[in-house]
Amino acid sequence: MTGLNKVVQSYQDAMAGLVDGMTIISGGFGLCGIPENLIAEIKRKGTKSLTLVSNNCGVDDFGLGVLLPERQIKKIIASYVGENAEFERQMMSGELEVELTPQGTLAEKMRAGGAGIPAFYTATGVGTLVAAGKTERQFNDRDYILEQAITGDFAIIKAWKADRFGNLVYRKTARNFNPMAATAGKITVAEVEELVEPGALDPDEIHTPGIYVNRVIQGTFEKRIEQRTTRASGES
Amino acid sequence: MTGLNKVVQSYQDAMAGLVDGMTIISGGFGLCGIPENLIAEIKRKGTKSLTLVSNNCGVDDFGLGVLLPERQIKKIIASYVGENAEFERQMMSGELEVELTPQGTLAEKMRAGGAGIPAFYTATGVGTLVAAGKTERQFNDRDYILEQAITGDFAIIKAWKADRFGNLVYRKTARNFNPMAATAGKITVAEVEELVEPGALDPDEIHTPGIYVNRVIQGTFEKRIEQRTTRASGES
Amino acid sequence: MALSREQIAQRVAREMRDGYYVNLGIGIPTLVANYIPEDIAVMLHSENGLLGMGQFPSEAELDADLINAGKQTVTMTTGASIFDSAESFAMIRGGHVDLTVLGAFEVDVNGNIASYMIPGKLIKGMGGAMDLVAGADNIIVTMTHASKHGESKLLTQCSLPLTGKGCIKKVLTDLALIEIKNGKFHLLERAPGVTVDEIIKLTQGELVVPKFVPEMRF
Amino acid sequence: MALSREQIAQRVAREMRDGYYVNLGIGIPTLVANYIPEDIAVMLHSENGLLGMGQFPSEAELDADLINAGKQTVTMTTGASIFDSAESFAMIRGGHVDLTVLGAFEVDVNGNIASYMIPGKLIKGMGGAMDLVAGADNIIVTMTHASKHGESKLLTQCSLPLTGKGCIKKVLTDLALIEIKNGKFHLLERAPGVTVDEIIKLTQGELVVPKFVPEMRF
């Protein structure tokens, strides 16, 4: 009677089954709401030839950027990759394949992947490099391009709280891409700050229902800040 | 500085601007989570030739069904309409045009309408009457049909609580189609059980952000139950 | 003896596995909830936006805001979640539901199903049925094997408007459990006391009968 | 005198109306938040999933889980809401944001905009910019009128890869406020002390100049 209990005890178990050449979808925006320890485990495992789908690729020494030095990433699908020197080097030298995708299109591709929608039309990217090779069609006299869904062998996400059924809630803007990524993985692994008892999360307030989540692990997080901007105290 | 204050004081104001021939998208599933009083106001106004988009059409004397006797509805787009004798009569006699749409496709059409996606592919309805006249295409060796988005001149929805910015939360399965309907109206009107002060709703727990909502009105609700099923107390 | 509604529900319940997310349609499928084996945990999905559907409420628990897809008042189990209709059908259409049980008027040897419309007679709409049959891999159709007049509902080709094309692989009738593959029906089990000949007689589509057809036990 | 960054922000802020939902891009557009007129209420949208973006936090308020699209730590205003990236871009792509302010490298007379890529030199990605320009009706582009070397950024045809096609109707540079329609630039206002001739000289695309061009006041 443990079938609905998604909790695993080690990061090895959390990423069990990940092998070379797989596609991983990751939640997170910049360094906010990223599955820090799942990424660290992928680095530790040394899995290679990965295709990564993520809005960003971290920085040189944190986030998905840590997978770059050992060349674990073959291809990345992302909207913004500009915070990372090693990334730029690998991209410019052609060692790393980069598929730049508009942020909204990327979010929608993940959602579509999880929702069984193989493709959708969008105005984003019409008349740009993004439209190259894509079906174009008019609706109500406006041009749109057809974008296809993305799914992954794994989805790795970060949430705030989970129960053992895999029900998740996120905190503030650490939500970002995590809910869509959660729906789009064949195996979805969530790492969380806090494990709570079933029933502790209000059913009306669950962001990701457990049906999308295969494994849950509780971790501790550095939560590094990329742009620390503050105002002087008292200033308004 | 009242631009973000969406609260209106009367149902007349709530539905101001509705004229003959418009398209209205309504939230609700059966009689659960329906905008009872906004529907009553449409009946009172006597607006005609309406196109209604709603999962169901209520029952003979409650919900959207009350718009049938005076023939206010020209066409309905719905997934299930089987609880209503007058509805059946008008449909069979050809007085009422009915576009039966699978429930998931209907929900997705509303979401797409609100999200600027003019069309999407789905496997639902392939090889059925629903596919008639629609573009078909294969992705990964499977057949899909192209479904187009729906938007409305008005969207009428029911929520549990709102603040004056139009931020909404729903209660239990009264959520259903309301969040998608909210995004798809040129003018979206929400009627709610309770108005709360801004800040009273946790930003992490808001279901419909106020950006989608143009008018909010507080009402009282009958909340009729369609199938009252109970177990004997003590039975488990 | 043909299976009773309760026995159909009981037999379907044996198809459940620990950890399944299950969508039960209206009618007989709803009864399946009463026969879930005690040693497994499953979560019931109701397509109006509820995962973790519980039993009917007591009078005290009755809540107009908490219904199932059949519009019946229900309760929630511990660990339930609520979501909107688009999310609910994302679960269905995205293949996240492990088992779907629904009724039908007819199925045929190509896995087609007709379940929502009798032209000129019954036009209530497909509700979520077209999404369910298109989205799920693992579907069990429950129905009577034949009409009251002895007309088979397992056909060479469905005569009514389809709910879905080529999507049904398993049918449980009051007489038999049948698999659909390679354009044929395959007899897997028979109801207690029902003979293979009776089943053959009431199956219009081609039926493959193995040498030994086990009898269901209850 | 060319407008300062602050003056550009000030002038943009005057385009705001009571009740607007506004998305401010990175750089100069971010400064606009400081000049919102006090007699109107607007709500700032940040595309990483926040409506109701507030000022930078005090040290005590600093929260790694609360950032804006520029990855800067921020706060929330009263009545703010949080949502996922798909929902955030549904707001943008569905046309729910009333005003979008963003920077650019080039714009042209057909309303094309290039803002995200300099081939062989700057390839950081488009982020949300392509969605913003495709989704919004009401966009103000802020940029310098010309490069440091005096090369115009208001062109007959953009030379860099486009961010969006035919979607820009208003440009505020350090020299002028310009409308784009019918395949031409139209001079609406000039910066204090900047002559029409200076603007003409630094505008490569066809510029329509009315008899009277009002000077901006600060």
Side-chain angles (χ1 to χ4, degrees), chain B residues 198-211:
Chain B
L201 304 175
D202 183 335
D204 278 338
E205 295 169 3
I206 288 168
H207 297 133
T208 293
I211 192 170

Side-chain angles (χ1 to χ4, degrees), chain A residues 44-124:
Chain A
R44 194 200 60 76
K45 272 175 92 95
T47 319
K48 302 260 188 201
S49 299
L50 295 171
T51 295
L52 275 188
V53 185
S54 169
N55 189 57
N56 312 85
C57 195
V59 295
D60 275 317
D61 65 339
F62 201 64
L64 292 166
V66 304
L67 304 180
L68 289 165
E70 301 298 326
R71 307 267 319 275
Q72 293 179 256
I73 310 175
K74 183 185 68 182
K75 177 179 176 180
I76 182 157
I77 300 172
S79 91
Y80 192 80
V81 293
E83 318 293 4
N84 197 312
E86 174 62 13
F87 187 100
E88 207 169 332
R89 194 197 63 70
Q90 290 191 18
M91 176 169 65
M92 289 302 199
S93 70
E95 296 164 52
L96 177 63
E97 189 185 342
V98 180
E99 187 176 317
L100 289 176
T101 303
Q103 198 171 131
T105 295
L106 186 62
E108 196 66 26
K109 277 170 169 269
M110 290 184 195
R111 181 191 177 273
I117 293 170
F120 57 89
Y121 281 96
T122 178
T124 298

